[in-house]
Amino acid sequence: MDISEVSEYEGRVIAGPFRGGRLQEIEISMQKFGILCREDGMRATWERAPGGGYEVRAEGAGVRGYFVDDEGIEVSQSNLDAFIMEAVLPETDFNLRGVHQVAPDKMVAVSLRARHDGVSVVWTGSKALLSREDAPKVCPIGTPPMPIVGG
């Protein structure tokens, strides 16, 4: 995604598919593990995912391109893994894609895939700081983007 596609200091996140069934159960799981799509706590949009289940989408100010906790910090890996185990069917690819503009010419881009077998979760993908001037700089998953601005 080009930096010009995201308004200044805004972001987008799309994640799914979550289990089918009742949407309320997924939202309860998100609350249980302290997972938010927006740091302002406003409700995200839910849609039916292609192939079944649900996808969650959020866009605008307060969206960081990944899941955050109630303090606006990226959700801990242990909470995220526990949530995936509860809200995603085993042996199903779960995708988390997002962007967050952190400066006029820099954004964090997230493209992650999770899969679990009912015992453990395996993550693949990346989180990168993209800039017009520089080649992408990769930052570790779990690191909030703000400290790397200006890097």
Side-chain angles (χ1 to χ4, degrees):
M1 176 177 290
D2 186 0
I3 290 174
S4 64
E5 294 181 30
V6 180
S7 301
E8 189 170 349
Y9 306 110
E10 292 191 357
R12 292 183 191 144
V13 66
I14 301 169
F18 295 97
R19 293 178 186 263
R22 293 185 16 200
L23 181 57
Q24 184 179 20
E25 292 170 358
I26 301 166
E27 290 180 321
I28 289 169
S29 290
M30 289 181 82
Q31 290 174 358
K32 175 179 170 181
F33 296 107
I35 294 174
L36 303 169
C37 291
R38 308 174 59 95
E39 63 181 26
D40 58 15
M42 293 188 65
R43 193 166 192 266
T45 303
W46 290 90
E47 298 177 6
R48 282 285 184 183
Y54 293 97
E55 278 187 339
V56 65
R57 297 171 178 260
E59 186 172 335
V63 178
R64 298 290 167 242
Y66 47 80
F67 293 135
V68 295
D69 64 18
D70 59 0
E71 295 179 7
I73 299 169
E74 188 169 5
V75 172
S76 72
Q77 191 67 50
S78 61
N79 280 13
L80 190 55
D81 286 352
F83 171 64
I84 294 298
M85 294 282 286
E86 187 169 295
V88 177
L89 290 170
E91 306 302 334
T92 300
D93 287 335
F94 171 83
N95 298 292
L96 175 64
R97 300 176 311 279
V99 292
H100 172 224
Q101 181 120 14
V102 294
D105 65 341
K106 294 183 191 233
M107 74 176 186
V108 171
V110 177
S111 179
L112 300 173
R113 177 170 286 153
R115 190 176 184 95
H116 77 89
D117 59 5
V119 177
S120 63
V121 180
V122 175
W123 289 89
T124 57
S126 66
K127 182 194 300 182
L129 178 65
L130 305 178
S131 171
R132 293 187 200 281
E133 303 90 29
D134 304 322
K137 298 176 184 176
V138 177
C139 62
I141 295 169
T143 303
M146 297 315 254
I148 60 175
V149 171

